[in-house]
Amino acid sequence: MKMKNDYKAFAFDLDGTLAVSKSALSEEVSQFLCKLLSKGKSVMIISGGWMPQFEKQFLANFKCPKKNLKRLYLMPTSGAVMYFYDGEKWDKKYEHKIPKEDVQMISNAFDSILSKLSFKMPKENIWGEQFENRITQISYSALGQQAPIEEKEKWDSNDLKKAEMVKLLVPMLPKYTVKSGGTTTIDVTLKGVDKGFGMEQFLKESGFKKEEVLFTGDRLYEGGNDYAVVRTGVDTCEVDNPRDMLHKLSKFVD
Ligand SMILES: [Mg+2]
């Protein structure tokens, strides 16, 4: 981790970095982000989650004057889509959709690997849908979309189950990028779409140079879902959780 004294833009992972997984943004983090924006900094948030998740988890709990929102960029589904605030509503800058005819094919690929796994996929104790079409991403959550965080953390604590699934799926879906998403989730996006792609799109759309941007995430280690950002050459800051993020970055709003 190397940090300069200041940056023009601050990019963040959402789950585990700005908020506890799938939980609401805290008031402290909301205040911190609003302070960055009101100081004239740009803020970008990128996640494997899709826009409805950003709305529920982030926007519903983010308290900041509207005039500051023009410097806020939201990048759901690893940056396959980019949203900006047009003064009244959130509008799309671009969107890379999964073709409709491929959705069933991707679903079938998941079904076909179940019998080849070295472990049994849970059939009972599922919380909500496992398979979710997020338009720009297909996501498979082993325990269901609404599984409690304690259960999710127990299921694949060393990331081996997800890695095994990804290994089987990759050759079946050559037009797609298949990667471990959240704690129990496998994400499928168009080839090349990952958080590194998202960061490259952000640099292109915002006009910032990579030296002017700091990315903060909780899974920046190799194999983690933030690792793809490292190849873009922006400075990175690894944190354990939202509290740690505030601890390490609060100096930028003092
Ligand atoms: Mg994270």
Side-chain angles (χ1 to χ4, degrees):
M1 182 171 80
K2 42 173 185 151
M3 275 204 276
K4 298 187 187 80
N5 291 329
D6 207 4
Y7 294 90
K8 289 188 178 167
F10 292 82
F12 298 91
D13 160 54
L14 179 55
D15 266 356
T17 300
L18 293 180
V20 174
S21 181
K22 300 230 170 170
S23 308
L25 192 76
S26 72
E27 208 171 314
E28 287 156 289
V29 175
S30 168
Q31 279 173 9
F32 164 75
L33 293 172
C34 187
K35 271 189 203 165
L36 279 177
L37 290 168
S38 59
K39 283 185 73 170
K41 307 297 180 187
S42 289
V43 171
M44 181 271 258
I45 303 173
I46 188 162
S47 166
W50 62 327
M51 193 57 169
Q53 184 64 30
F54 269 71
E55 283 163 356
K56 201 168 81 179
Q57 193 174 0
F58 177 73
L59 288 175
N61 304 292
F62 184 50
K63 309 277 179 287
C64 197
K66 276 187 177 171
K67 64 174 176 9
N68 292 329
L69 301 185
K70 63 176 187 292
R71 286 185 298 276
L72 178 59
Y73 301 77
L74 302 182
M75 304 192 73
T77 58
S78 302
V81 57
M82 180 191 234
Y83 285 85
F84 68 102
Y85 195 68
D86 72 1
E88 285 170 27
K89 61 178 187 321
W90 289 92
D91 202 359
K92 287 169 205 159
K93 201 93 177 164
Y94 65 80
E95 182 175 38
H96 300 291
K97 291 185 188 178
I98 307 267
K100 275 203 183 82
E101 61 272 22
D102 282 4
V103 175
Q104 189 61 45
M105 184 268 293
I106 294 168
S107 165
N108 292 347
F110 275 92
D111 286 342
S112 73
I113 65 160
L114 294 184
S115 60
K116 297 175 192 150
L117 297 169
S118 68
F119 57 93
K120 277 257 176 298
M121 237 7 198
K123 285 210 178 74
E124 286 157 22
N125 293 329
I126 303 284
W127 292 264
E129 292 294 321
Q130 285 174 305
F131 197 75
E132 193 168 54
N133 181 356
R134 297 176 175 174
I135 313 299
T136 48
Q137 176 173 288
I138 302 289
S139 295
Y140 180 89
S141 302
L143 303 181
Q145 301 289 336
Q146 277 87 46
I149 179 85
E150 319 80 70
E151 295 293 331
K152 291 204 289 187
E153 281 173 351
K154 265 190 282 178
W155 185 71
D156 190 22
S157 55
N158 50 14
D159 294 333
L160 293 175
K161 287 178 177 153
K162 291 188 294 289
E164 190 180 329
M165 294 175 75
V166 168
K167 205 173 160 193
L168 290 169
L169 288 162
V170 165
M172 300 177 74
L173 302 170
K175 277 167 35 195
Y176 288 87
T177 289
V178 183
K179 58 193 175 299
S180 165
T183 343
T184 61
T185 312
I186 308 271
D187 291 332
V188 180
T189 44
L190 289 173
K191 192 102 200 160
V193 174
D194 58 17
K195 286 184 184 174
F197 167 87
M199 177 57 76
E200 283 154 7
Q201 297 305 301
F202 170 69
L203 294 172
K204 204 168 95 185
E205 296 288 345
S206 67
F208 290 116
K209 296 189 199 76
K210 63 176 195 255
E211 297 77 21
E212 297 170 328
V213 181
L214 176 70
F215 174 83
T216 302
D218 68 318
R219 294 185 179 200
L220 273 160
Y221 49 85
E222 208 174 330
N225 67 12
D226 296 322
Y227 182 66
V229 175
V230 173
R231 72 162 190 264
T232 67
V234 301
D235 283 359
T236 56
C237 173
E238 186 157 9
V239 297
D240 296 330
N241 50 48
R243 184 156 298 279
D244 188 37
M245 184 284 296
L246 287 172
H247 175 72
K248 285 177 174 148
L249 272 71
S250 57
K251 63 175 184 177
F252 292 112
V253 296
D254 284 343

